[in-house]
């Protein structure tokens, strides 16, 4: 089994953290969809990372599916609880973390930004508003807790941590620690976790 993903991709990091948390034996192979001769399009028709290449040669796509797969086959903490209400709650945290990350990716990778987007432009402000509102909701709901849900580490923490870590990497001028001190407190502990340290992306 081989996990393809770039070192800087937040969604690949999400899958890598899950892989390490669950002690899954799987090679991580750095790859970007756009690299010449990349294997990614061969296994993922959407040409996105991460993609998991299974031992039977099939590709499994999307970080959400890959994390669920690792959670099912690995040991270590349960990332997606079995109980219905808890599972929905953790999936909501995943949706929030992924959604914030989508807005950061849009801001920092969309051609409008690359071409020198006016930061006051309505489109740009709409993405910033999503990040602001998403982080405000995360801060309120985490409160003084150590984890997103149920007093235990879960997929929710992977996804909120992924989003905050990606802000540091791709949108460093956004002072989320100053704006959301509750998230800084939460992240200080989360970022010290071995799986977050092991997957910290290199500085661009
Ligand atoms: N929903 C997908 C999103 C994956 C994604 O957007 N990956 C980006 C890197 S962060 C990518 O490969 N982009 C290349 C492209 O869109 O062509 C997941 O969770 O796996």
């Amino acid at each position: 089994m081989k996990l393809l993903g770039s070192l800087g991709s937040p969604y690949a990091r999400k899958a890598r953290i899950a892989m390490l948390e669950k002690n899954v034996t799987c090679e991580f192979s750095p790859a970007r969809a756009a690299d010449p001769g990349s294997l990614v399009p061969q296994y993922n028709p959407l040409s996105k990372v991460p993609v998991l290449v299974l031992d039977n040669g099939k590709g499994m796509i999307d970080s959400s599916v890959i994390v669920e797969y690792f959670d099912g086959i690995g040991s270590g903490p349960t990332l997606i609880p079995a109980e219905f209400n808890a599972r929905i709650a953790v999936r909501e945290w995943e949706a929030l973390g992924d959604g914030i990350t989508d807005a950061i990716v849009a801001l920092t990778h969309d051609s409008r930004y690359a071409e020198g987007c006016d930061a006051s432009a309505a489109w740009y402000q709409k993405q910033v508003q999503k990040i602001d509102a998403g982080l405000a909701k995360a801060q309120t709901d985490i409160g003084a807790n150590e984890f997103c849900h149920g007093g235990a580490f879960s997929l929710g923490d992977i996804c909120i941590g992924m989003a905050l870590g990606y802000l540091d990497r791709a949108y460093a001028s956004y002072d989320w620690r100053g704006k959301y001190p509750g998230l800084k407190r939460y992240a200080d502990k989360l970022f010290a976790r071995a799986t977050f340290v092991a997957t910290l992306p290199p500085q661009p």
Side-chain angles (χ1 to χ4, degrees):
M1 208 162 46
K2 199 192 287 192
L3 182 68
L4 306 180
S6 66
L7 291 169
S9 159
Y11 298 104
R13 188 178 188 206
K14 172 179 159 187
R16 289 169 68 208
I17 291 172
M19 180 179 96
L20 295 173
E21 289 283 348
K22 298 298 295 188
N23 303 302
V24 172
T25 306
C26 176
E27 180 193 340
F28 173 66
S29 180
R32 286 189 317 175
D35 287 343
S38 170
L39 289 178
V40 175
Q42 192 178 313
Y43 291 104
N44 183 353
L46 306 176
S47 279
K48 290 182 178 201
V49 291
V51 54
L52 182 66
V53 183
L54 300 168
D55 289 339
N56 66 8
K58 289 201 169 149
M60 179 182 287
I61 68 168
D62 205 286
S63 61
S64 194
V65 179
I66 296 168
V67 169
E68 185 160 350
Y69 183 70
F70 286 156
D71 201 27
I73 64 168
S75 57
T78 298
L79 301 177
I80 305 165
E83 195 273 322
F84 180 71
N85 291 308
R87 188 165 78 244
I88 295 298
V90 164
R91 286 294 196 195
E92 279 199 286
W93 278 109
E94 179 184 29
L96 186 64
D98 283 10
I100 295 167
T101 304
D102 285 344
I104 306 165
V105 170
L107 261 190
T108 56
H109 284 73
D110 190 284
S111 57
R112 282 170 281 194
Y113 179 86
E115 284 160 14
C117 173
D118 173 4
S120 67
W123 175 85
Y124 188 102
Q125 284 308 319
K126 214 163 91 179
Q127 305 309 316
V128 175
Q129 161 66 19
K130 288 178 201 290
I131 298 168
D132 282 339
L135 294 181
K137 162 100 175 123
Q139 175 168 267
T140 300
D141 290 0
I142 291 170
N145 296 327
E146 183 176 349
F147 299 112
C148 289
H149 178 79
F153 182 80
S154 73
L155 171 59
D157 300 295
I158 296 181
C159 294
I160 297 300
M162 163 189 78
L164 295 173
Y166 195 55
L167 277 171
D168 284 343
R169 179 183 160 80
Y171 193 17
S173 61
Y174 183 94
D175 180 21
W176 62 271
R177 288 177 178 80
K179 283 174 106 168
Y180 304 101
L183 288 180
K184 177 190 177 308
R185 177 205 58 78
Y186 163 80
D188 280 348
K189 190 138 193 208
L190 187 64
F191 285 5
R193 203 173 169 92
T195 52
F196 276 76
V197 173
T199 57
L200 197 64
Q203 282 308 305

